[in-house]
Amino acid sequence: MSALSHLGGAPPAAGPPAAAEPERRTGRRRLTAYLLLLPGGLWLVLFFVVPLVTLLSASLYDPSGSVETGYTVTWHWQNYVDALRDYARPFGRSFVYALVATAICLLLGYPLAYAIAFKAGRWKNLMLALVIAPFFTSFLIRTLSWKLLLGDNGFVVDVLQALRILGPDGRLLATTAAVVTGLTYNFLPFMVLPLYASLERIDHRLIEAGGDLFAGPFTTFRTVTLPLSMPGVVAGTLLTFIPAAGDYINAQLLGTPKQRMIGNDIQSLFAAGVYPTAAALSVTLMAAIVVLVLFYVRRTGTEDLV
Amino acid sequence: MAGDLVLAGLCKRFGSFTAVHELDLTVPQGAFFALLGPSGCGKTTTLRMVAGLERPSAGGIRLGADEITELRPYKRPVNTVFQSYALFPHLDVFENVAFGLRRRGVKQVRQQVEDMLELVELGEYRHRKPAQLSGGQQQRVALARALINHPEVLLLDEPLGALDLKLRRQMQIELKRIQTEVGITFVHVTHDQEEAMTMADSIAVMNAGVIEQLGTPVELYDLPATTFVANFLGQSNLLEGSVLDRRGDSLVVEVHGSKVVVPAARARVADGAVWVGVRPEKVHLADGDRPQDGAGDQVNCLRGAVVSDVSYVGVSTQYLARLSWGPELTVFEQNTGARDTFAVGDTVDLNWQPAHTFVLDAKQDAKAGVEEVA
């Protein structure tokens, strides 16, 4: 009975004498729930709904407006057509870079998360702290450090040249590889942590049961551990892919205009006051990511695992 | 073909802690064998060594003619029903049961799985996930998942521990039926002495890493070899005594001035200080104010006890009777209606047959194996 009223519905088939008291209590409970929702709700309206509406309307401004003459919403859908026509390449590049970085993060992060979850023993907490440690410095500074690391006179280039992996004129900085490396580096913890969380939750006896039922270590991994860690794989890839696709710091600091990602264009268009195009690109990026994510989550079908 | 499971000098140490100490054990092929003991006695560790999930520190394991001590778990013809089942949560019932067959590349998986699900009466649940099943159903899936591989030995680690009492009794009968049907050696680990007694052909009682006694349920109950077995398997009354004399095939033991006769074959020690033991239902109460009839010598008798507690439990009445020098004996009397009933404070005589008496070494702790009242 009390469990039912928790759900907010009036208790079904309650007799008339007993009904009055629980109903009043239900009403009060409901009010409490709304009051608790209020601060968070206000915050969301102020900092999510309002900016989103502003962005959507900015994407439909008359493109002839400027900061001086002001803007009007004229439902100018042509903004989208123009933006996509002019910026199709950086768009494609963003998704390809983000995809490659996510794939590398998964390849690097899975063994790491696996080792922390199953093999680290008493080093577990230390290793987790090391995964999180980069967050103690700002994103910008860390990316700038990569600029030094990969610089033409840096030791990495020197070593690679000495080993003849890189030609005498070869460089690392200002290449596609540098941008993807930066993305991979910056978002790796977002891959490792959810992977670790889902691996760590796996009941060790399930792995023993796999061994008991004629599955060797690799088969047990393929048929038991990997499927059970899928929620972590999905969460990790999303947390890596989404920010990587919208990132512009790595391309700006570690790349050249040839490695421009869509974030760079949006940023420079906004800076130049070309709001309609910038907003149209932002909305398109957002929509594209939402569609991809929905498709991905639907395909991996993890809803009955989490 | 399969053969006896032989453990020889099996040891397992974790750091400085010895979980299993030089265990020697032969489980005959086709037996329903129980490893019984309190938690921490090493029974599960022993089972895990047979399964290959734990590496023995010393000793060996043989199955028929094959040495399997060093074999990886997935190469052993042995399957386990895990405590709390360890069913694969991402696979449905059918795929859980099919798991072992698929790993070995067996053909006609479908037919075999369906037959096995029929055996454990879970046919209509084949597409459910384990989380959608009750505890008893999960237990049967775990059993089917192991049995379908026709292991030479099936290991069961407290398989019924998570079930409620009624379901547990039902599954005990079920397990026994299935074992008889398939004829596979079952090694069943449990801390529930009643479970072990109902199901197993033979029981090894384990305590602190060693086997205290091995035998059929009747042998263990009728003639326990140690105070631990006497207390852990059912209840026992243990009284301090000392051996006076040997008379033919019998020993005469003095218990606080009274003489108690025990067949020599039922005594673990033949002289010195001993524990004299008798099971509570073997003791009969007689009215202490009535003079003894001439049965005298054929019956052991302790006179002048006072009833200190009476609890009526339907089929029987449980009495506590305090002897004049302090110790309290438990007595179960069947409520057949043919015998006298007593009240607290009544003076009674305690009678029992010499053939129901046993004698244990006094160096052992009289309280060993007494189950703590939860």
Side-chain angles (χ1 to χ4, degrees):
Chain A
M1 188 84 146
S2 77
L4 273 176
S5 43
H6 261 297
L7 293 174
E21 172 61 10
E23 219 151 80
R24 208 170 61 211
R25 221 183 292 155
T26 311
R28 206 180 304 148
R29 276 212 191 104
R30 233 183 243 168
L31 189 65
T32 317
Y34 286 133
L35 280 173
L36 287 170
L37 279 173
L38 195 63
L42 279 177
W43 183 273
L44 271 182
V45 167
L46 207 59
F47 293 105
F48 177 69
V49 178
V50 172
L52 189 66
V53 171
T54 315
L55 186 69
L56 281 170
S57 53
S59 72
L60 298 169
Y61 284 157
D62 180 350
S64 61
S66 70
V67 183
E68 290 81 32
T69 58
Y71 297 97
T72 43
V73 177
T74 56
W75 302 93
H76 195 86
W77 294 101
Q78 187 66 30
N79 285 341
Y80 282 89
V81 180
D82 294 343
L84 283 176
R85 188 194 54 223
D86 297 343
Y87 296 98
R89 299 205 63 155
F91 237 113
R93 210 179 282 138
S94 287
F95 282 110
V96 172
Y97 286 5
L99 205 67
V100 173
T102 305
I104 300 175
C105 277
L106 185 62
L107 289 177
L108 294 175
Y110 201 104
L112 178 59
Y114 187 92
I116 299 176
F118 294 129
K119 311 280 178 197
R122 63 205 176 94
W123 300 105
K124 190 184 266 188
N125 287 336
L126 180 70
M127 290 183 76
L128 278 176
L130 287 176
V131 169
I132 305 165
F135 291 126
F136 288 103
T137 342
S138 102
F139 185 78
L140 212 55
I141 293 175
R142 281 183 279 134
T143 314
L144 275 169
S145 322
W146 273 92
K147 199 171 176 163
L148 296 178
L149 273 176
L150 302 177
D152 288 346
N153 300 313
F155 78 94
V156 180
V157 170
D158 288 348
V159 168
L160 290 179
Q161 280 175 343
L163 292 172
R164 310 224 175 266
I165 294 170
L166 222 56
D169 299 326
R171 56 189 319 211
L172 288 175
L173 195 62
T175 61
T176 303
V179 177
V180 173
T181 304
L183 289 170
T184 305
Y185 161 76
N186 276 308
F187 298 111
L188 186 60
F190 297 103
M191 178 67 83
V192 174
L193 293 177
L195 277 176
Y196 164 77
S198 72
L199 283 168
E200 203 257 352
R201 257 194 347 200
I202 295 176
D203 185 345
H204 206 260
R205 277 170 312 193
L206 295 176
I207 294 165
E208 290 188 341
D212 187 68
L213 293 163
F214 313 108
F218 179 73
T219 313
T220 302
F221 174 76
R222 190 173 55 78
T223 54
V224 181
T225 316
L226 186 60
L228 287 174
S229 66
M230 273 319 276
V233 173
V234 171
T237 46
L238 289 181
L239 285 177
T240 309
F241 180 80
I242 295 171
D247 182 76
Y248 64 93
I249 301 282
N250 287 286
Q252 183 160 333
L253 295 180
L254 305 174
T256 67
K258 276 194 219 152
Q259 280 86 35
R260 289 170 72 81
M261 292 172 73
I262 196 65
N264 299 84
D265 284 314
I266 293 172
Q267 192 256 346
S268 52
L269 284 169
F270 264 112
V274 193
Y275 293 158
T277 314
L281 285 175
S282 301
V283 172
T284 312
L285 176 64
M286 215 155 59
I289 288 175
V290 168
V291 169
L292 276 175
V293 165
L294 283 180
F295 181 70
Y296 174 58
V297 172
R298 186 72 53 87
R299 269 303 294 275
T300 45
T302 47
E303 56 271 16
D304 53 23
L305 269 181
V306 249
Chain B
M1 204 34 224
D4 297 352
L5 173 68
V6 180
L7 314 183
L10 206 59
C11 282
K12 180 68 191 180
R13 287 179 287 271
F14 296 101
S16 62
F17 174 71
T18 303
V20 176
H21 186 71
E22 288 182 20
L23 201 81
D24 291 301
L25 185 63
T26 300
V27 179
Q29 184 189 342
F32 197 131
F33 191 91
L35 275 174
L36 174 68
S39 57
C41 72
K43 58 191 192 301
T44 294
T45 308
T46 306
L47 196 79
R48 288 172 61 82
M49 285 192 280
V50 177
L53 300 170
E54 215 76 72
R55 246 190 115 122
S57 309
I61 304 168
R62 263 189 302 121
L63 189 53
D66 303 324
E67 176 76 25
I68 62 167
T69 319
E70 293 296 324
L71 221 52
R72 304 299 300 269
Y74 56 93
K75 296 201 169 143
R76 296 187 186 205
V78 163
N79 291 109
T80 310
V81 176
F82 288 83
Q83 190 172 14
S84 68
Y85 324 132
L87 298 177
F88 301 122
H90 58 299
L91 301 177
D92 63 14
V93 167
F94 185 95
E95 284 304 320
N96 261 286
V97 176
F99 193 91
L101 296 182
R102 294 209 193 283
R103 299 291 85 77
R104 288 183 303 155
V106 171
K107 298 215 165 51
Q108 289 163 325
V109 169
R110 185 177 193 82
Q111 193 52 48
Q112 286 197 51
V113 174
E114 272 167 13
D115 291 348
M116 186 49 69
L117 287 176
E118 216 51 58
L119 179 74
V120 296
E121 293 161 10
L122 278 174
E124 67 262 48
Y125 296 99
R126 74 191 70 183
H127 296 306
R128 296 253 190 115
K129 290 281 176 70
Q132 297 166 305
L133 301 177
S134 72
Q137 289 164 341
Q138 291 183 20
Q139 206 280 331
R140 283 181 288 169
V141 176
L143 186 66
R145 185 178 72 170
L147 269 182
I148 196 166
N149 305 298
H150 302 290
E152 290 178 20
V153 178
L154 184 76
L155 306 172
L156 302 107
D157 187 3
E158 301 267 7
L160 309 178
L163 305 180
D164 62 56
L165 190 69
K166 202 173 156 200
L167 201 53
R168 202 150 72 214
R169 297 283 170 261
Q170 207 176 313
M171 284 306 300
Q172 285 171 8
I173 298 166
E174 189 83 339
L175 265 181
K176 184 77 199 164
R177 174 183 72 83
I178 290 171
Q179 196 266 342
T180 319
E181 216 159 294
V182 296
I184 291 171
T185 312
F186 275 33
V187 179
H188 180 134
V189 156
T190 179
H191 68 275
D192 181 342
Q193 48 102 5
E194 198 177 329
E195 188 172 302
M197 301 244 272
T198 348
M199 294 162 74
D201 312 321
S202 41
I203 302 176
V205 181
M206 278 188 81
N207 183 34
V210 298
I211 291 179
E212 294 257 341
Q213 192 178 359
L214 186 136
T216 66
V218 176
E219 284 163 6
L220 296 186
Y221 188 80
D222 181 57
L223 189 53
T226 64
T227 56
F228 179 85
V229 177
N231 291 319
F232 195 76
L233 230 76
Q235 289 180 44
S236 290
N237 294 304
L238 296 176
L239 294 166
E240 279 178 61
S242 60
V243 179
L244 278 183
D245 186 13
R246 185 175 178 132
R247 203 182 287 158
D249 285 341
S250 295
L251 290 181
V252 181
V253 184
E254 191 223 305
V255 176
H256 205 270
S258 306
K259 280 179 189 165
V260 170
V261 180
V262 191
R266 296 179 60 86
R268 290 277 151 177
V269 279
D271 49 42
V274 294
W275 292 113
V276 174
V278 62
R279 296 285 188 182
E281 73 283 359
K282 302 285 171 22
V283 182
H284 298 297
L285 296 181
D287 190 341
D289 300 329
R290 209 182 296 161
Q292 284 284 303
D293 36 25
D297 241 19
Q298 284 97 56
V299 175
N300 291 324
C301 179
L302 295 175
R303 305 208 59 180
V306 177
V307 175
S308 58
D309 187 66
V310 180
S311 19
Y312 178 79
V313 286
V315 291
S316 65
T317 304
Q318 304 187 5
Y319 294 96
L320 283 180
R322 187 177 293 281
L323 294 165
S324 59
W325 64 97
E328 232 170 20
L329 264 69
T330 309
V331 180
F332 299 159
E333 288 272 20
Q334 290 290 313
N335 288 328
T336 54
R339 307 188 61 88
D340 297 338
T341 56
F342 300 92
V344 174
D346 287 353
T347 307
V348 289
D349 292 340
L350 306 168
N351 300 313
W352 71 91
Q353 301 288 327
H356 293 149
T357 319
F358 52 86
V359 162
L360 302 173
D361 191 341
K363 283 196 280 293
Q364 292 169 356
D365 177 10
K367 292 270 178 252
V370 176
E371 271 185 283
E372 267 159 45
V373 182

PDB file of all heavy atoms in Angstrom, chain A residues 237-254:
ATOM      1  N   THR A 237      32.826   4.508 -25.133  1.00  0.00           N
ATOM      2  CA  THR A 237      32.950   5.007 -26.502  1.00  0.00           C
ATOM      3  C   THR A 237      32.127   6.285 -26.682  1.00  0.00           C
ATOM      4  O   THR A 237      32.569   7.222 -27.355  1.00  0.00           O
ATOM      5  CB  THR A 237      32.505   3.941 -27.531  1.00  0.00           C
ATOM      6  OG1 THR A 237      31.277   3.378 -27.096  1.00  0.00           O
ATOM      7  CG2 THR A 237      33.534   2.845 -27.669  1.00  0.00           C
ATOM      8  N   LEU A 238      30.944   6.340 -26.055  1.00  0.00           N
ATOM      9  CA  LEU A 238      30.139   7.564 -26.182  1.00  0.00           C
ATOM     10  C   LEU A 238      30.839   8.738 -25.517  1.00  0.00           C
ATOM     11  O   LEU A 238      30.917   9.828 -26.082  1.00  0.00           O
ATOM     12  CB  LEU A 238      28.758   7.362 -25.550  1.00  0.00           C
ATOM     13  CG  LEU A 238      27.809   6.442 -26.308  1.00  0.00           C
ATOM     14  CD1 LEU A 238      26.475   6.363 -25.592  1.00  0.00           C
ATOM     15  CD2 LEU A 238      27.608   6.950 -27.733  1.00  0.00           C
ATOM     16  N   LEU A 239      31.355   8.503 -24.291  1.00  0.00           N
ATOM     17  CA  LEU A 239      31.998   9.590 -23.555  1.00  0.00           C
ATOM     18  C   LEU A 239      33.268  10.059 -24.249  1.00  0.00           C
ATOM     19  O   LEU A 239      33.738  11.162 -24.026  1.00  0.00           O
ATOM     20  CB  LEU A 239      32.333   9.140 -22.125  1.00  0.00           C
ATOM     21  CG  LEU A 239      31.153   9.042 -21.174  1.00  0.00           C
ATOM     22  CD1 LEU A 239      31.588   8.513 -19.824  1.00  0.00           C
ATOM     23  CD2 LEU A 239      30.505  10.415 -21.020  1.00  0.00           C
ATOM     24  N   THR A 240      33.866   9.214 -25.078  1.00  0.00           N
ATOM     25  CA  THR A 240      35.055   9.604 -25.824  1.00  0.00           C
ATOM     26  C   THR A 240      34.671  10.255 -27.148  1.00  0.00           C
ATOM     27  O   THR A 240      35.153  11.318 -27.503  1.00  0.00           O
ATOM     28  CB  THR A 240      35.931   8.371 -26.102  1.00  0.00           C
ATOM     29  OG1 THR A 240      36.123   7.688 -24.877  1.00  0.00           O
ATOM     30  CG2 THR A 240      37.269   8.772 -26.664  1.00  0.00           C
ATOM     31  N   PHE A 241      33.745   9.602 -27.855  1.00  0.00           N
ATOM     32  CA  PHE A 241      33.408  10.062 -29.203  1.00  0.00           C
ATOM     33  C   PHE A 241      32.742  11.436 -29.194  1.00  0.00           C
ATOM     34  O   PHE A 241      33.107  12.308 -29.980  1.00  0.00           O
ATOM     35  CB  PHE A 241      32.504   9.034 -29.893  1.00  0.00           C
ATOM     36  CG  PHE A 241      32.111   9.441 -31.278  1.00  0.00           C
ATOM     37  CD1 PHE A 241      32.980   9.256 -32.340  1.00  0.00           C
ATOM     38  CD2 PHE A 241      30.879  10.037 -31.522  1.00  0.00           C
ATOM     39  CE1 PHE A 241      32.639   9.648 -33.610  1.00  0.00           C
ATOM     40  CE2 PHE A 241      30.529  10.438 -32.796  1.00  0.00           C
ATOM     41  CZ  PHE A 241      31.409  10.239 -33.847  1.00  0.00           C
ATOM     42  N   ILE A 242      31.767  11.635 -28.307  1.00  0.00           N
ATOM     43  CA  ILE A 242      30.989  12.878 -28.342  1.00  0.00           C
ATOM     44  C   ILE A 242      31.881  14.105 -28.120  1.00  0.00           C
ATOM     45  O   ILE A 242      31.885  15.008 -28.961  1.00  0.00           O
ATOM     46  CB  ILE A 242      29.810  12.815 -27.351  1.00  0.00           C
ATOM     47  CG1 ILE A 242      28.835  11.723 -27.795  1.00  0.00           C
ATOM     48  CG2 ILE A 242      29.094  14.155 -27.264  1.00  0.00           C
ATOM     49  CD1 ILE A 242      27.750  11.418 -26.796  1.00  0.00           C
ATOM     50  N   PRO A 243      32.651  14.180 -27.043  1.00  0.00           N
ATOM     51  CA  PRO A 243      33.492  15.375 -26.898  1.00  0.00           C
ATOM     52  C   PRO A 243      34.586  15.461 -27.963  1.00  0.00           C
ATOM     53  O   PRO A 243      34.944  16.563 -28.382  1.00  0.00           O
ATOM     54  CB  PRO A 243      34.098  15.238 -25.503  1.00  0.00           C
ATOM     55  CG  PRO A 243      33.935  13.824 -25.115  1.00  0.00           C
ATOM     56  CD  PRO A 243      32.762  13.298 -25.869  1.00  0.00           C
ATOM     57  N   ALA A 244      35.088  14.314 -28.432  1.00  0.00           N
ATOM     58  CA  ALA A 244      36.150  14.359 -29.438  1.00  0.00           C
ATOM     59  C   ALA A 244      35.629  14.942 -30.751  1.00  0.00           C
ATOM     60  O   ALA A 244      36.322  15.706 -31.421  1.00  0.00           O
ATOM     61  CB  ALA A 244      36.727  12.956 -29.656  1.00  0.00           C
ATOM     62  N   ALA A 245      34.388  14.599 -31.107  1.00  0.00           N
ATOM     63  CA  ALA A 245      33.832  15.098 -32.370  1.00  0.00           C
ATOM     64  C   ALA A 245      33.662  16.617 -32.333  1.00  0.00           C
ATOM     65  O   ALA A 245      33.751  17.276 -33.364  1.00  0.00           O
ATOM     66  CB  ALA A 245      32.490  14.420 -32.651  1.00  0.00           C
ATOM     67  N   GLY A 246      33.400  17.172 -31.158  1.00  0.00           N
ATOM     68  CA  GLY A 246      33.187  18.611 -31.076  1.00  0.00           C
ATOM     69  C   GLY A 246      34.424  19.393 -30.677  1.00  0.00           C
ATOM     70  O   GLY A 246      34.388  20.609 -30.551  1.00  0.00           O
ATOM     71  N   ASP A 247      35.544  18.667 -30.491  1.00  0.00           N
ATOM     72  CA  ASP A 247      36.736  19.333 -29.967  1.00  0.00           C
ATOM     73  C   ASP A 247      37.411  20.219 -31.012  1.00  0.00           C
ATOM     74  O   ASP A 247      37.401  19.909 -32.206  1.00  0.00           O
ATOM     75  CB  ASP A 247      37.741  18.265 -29.500  1.00  0.00           C
ATOM     76  CG  ASP A 247      38.981  18.896 -28.910  1.00  0.00           C
ATOM     77  OD1 ASP A 247      38.902  19.375 -27.774  1.00  0.00           O
ATOM     78  OD2 ASP A 247      40.018  18.926 -29.626  1.00  0.00           O
ATOM     79  N   TYR A 248      37.989  21.344 -30.593  1.00  0.00           N
ATOM     80  CA  TYR A 248      38.760  22.159 -31.534  1.00  0.00           C
ATOM     81  C   TYR A 248      40.137  22.527 -31.000  1.00  0.00           C
ATOM     82  O   TYR A 248      40.993  23.003 -31.730  1.00  0.00           O
ATOM     83  CB  TYR A 248      37.992  23.424 -31.922  1.00  0.00           C
ATOM     84  CG  TYR A 248      37.725  24.379 -30.782  1.00  0.00           C
ATOM     85  CD1 TYR A 248      38.593  25.431 -30.511  1.00  0.00           C
ATOM     86  CD2 TYR A 248      36.606  24.223 -29.989  1.00  0.00           C
ATOM     87  CE1 TYR A 248      38.348  26.300 -29.458  1.00  0.00           C
ATOM     88  CE2 TYR A 248      36.358  25.089 -28.928  1.00  0.00           C
ATOM     89  CZ  TYR A 248      37.227  26.122 -28.669  1.00  0.00           C
ATOM     90  OH  TYR A 248      36.981  26.960 -27.627  1.00  0.00           O
ATOM     91  N   ILE A 249      40.385  22.261 -29.704  1.00  0.00           N
ATOM     92  CA  ILE A 249      41.670  22.615 -29.111  1.00  0.00           C
ATOM     93  C   ILE A 249      42.806  21.802 -29.739  1.00  0.00           C
ATOM     94  O   ILE A 249      43.849  22.329 -30.109  1.00  0.00           O
ATOM     95  CB  ILE A 249      41.647  22.372 -27.591  1.00  0.00           C
ATOM     96  CG1 ILE A 249      40.543  23.201 -26.923  1.00  0.00           C
ATOM     97  CG2 ILE A 249      43.007  22.641 -26.973  1.00  0.00           C
ATOM     98  CD1 ILE A 249      40.882  24.646 -26.732  1.00  0.00           C
ATOM     99  N   ASN A 250      42.595  20.492 -29.856  1.00  0.00           N
ATOM    100  CA  ASN A 250      43.661  19.628 -30.360  1.00  0.00           C
ATOM    101  C   ASN A 250      44.039  19.976 -31.791  1.00  0.00           C
ATOM    102  O   ASN A 250      45.214  20.060 -32.132  1.00  0.00           O
ATOM    103  CB  ASN A 250      43.239  18.163 -30.262  1.00  0.00           C
ATOM    104  CG  ASN A 250      43.262  17.676 -28.833  1.00  0.00           C
ATOM    105  OD1 ASN A 250      44.316  17.444 -28.268  1.00  0.00           O
ATOM    106  ND2 ASN A 250      42.085  17.573 -28.230  1.00  0.00           N
ATOM    107  N   ALA A 251      42.990  20.217 -32.630  1.00  0.00           N
ATOM    108  CA  ALA A 251      43.268  20.551 -34.027  1.00  0.00           C
ATOM    109  C   ALA A 251      43.984  21.896 -34.107  1.00  0.00           C
ATOM    110  O   ALA A 251      44.881  22.091 -34.926  1.00  0.00           O
ATOM    111  CB  ALA A 251      41.968  20.584 -34.818  1.00  0.00           C
ATOM    112  N   GLN A 252      43.589  22.810 -33.218  1.00  0.00           N
ATOM    113  CA  GLN A 252      44.185  24.136 -33.265  1.00  0.00           C
ATOM    114  C   GLN A 252      45.638  24.133 -32.799  1.00  0.00           C
ATOM    115  O   GLN A 252      46.490  24.759 -33.416  1.00  0.00           O
ATOM    116  CB  GLN A 252      43.356  25.074 -32.393  1.00  0.00           C
ATOM    117  CG  GLN A 252      43.852  26.503 -32.440  1.00  0.00           C
ATOM    118  CD  GLN A 252      42.750  27.444 -31.993  1.00  0.00           C
ATOM    119  OE1 GLN A 252      41.567  27.140 -32.138  1.00  0.00           O
ATOM    120  NE2 GLN A 252      43.135  28.581 -31.452  1.00  0.00           N
ATOM    121  N   LEU A 253      45.933  23.406 -31.745  1.00  0.00           N
ATOM    122  CA  LEU A 253      47.278  23.448 -31.167  1.00  0.00           C
ATOM    123  C   LEU A 253      48.231  22.454 -31.829  1.00  0.00           C
ATOM    124  O   LEU A 253      49.422  22.698 -31.920  1.00  0.00           O
ATOM    125  CB  LEU A 253      47.223  23.182 -29.664  1.00  0.00           C
ATOM    126  CG  LEU A 253      46.486  24.238 -28.827  1.00  0.00           C
ATOM    127  CD1 LEU A 253      46.505  23.848 -27.366  1.00  0.00           C
ATOM    128  CD2 LEU A 253      47.104  25.611 -29.028  1.00  0.00           C
ATOM    129  N   LEU A 254      47.706  21.315 -32.242  1.00  0.00           N
ATOM    130  CA  LEU A 254      48.593  20.255 -32.742  1.00  0.00           C
ATOM    131  C   LEU A 254      48.511  20.092 -34.260  1.00  0.00           C
ATOM    132  O   LEU A 254      49.292  19.350 -34.844  1.00  0.00           O
ATOM    133  CB  LEU A 254      48.264  18.923 -32.059  1.00  0.00           C
ATOM    134  CG  LEU A 254      48.293  18.943 -30.524  1.00  0.00           C
ATOM    135  CD1 LEU A 254      47.805  17.611 -29.982  1.00  0.00           C
ATOM    136  CD2 LEU A 254      49.692  19.247 -30.025  1.00  0.00           C
TER     137      LEU A 254
END
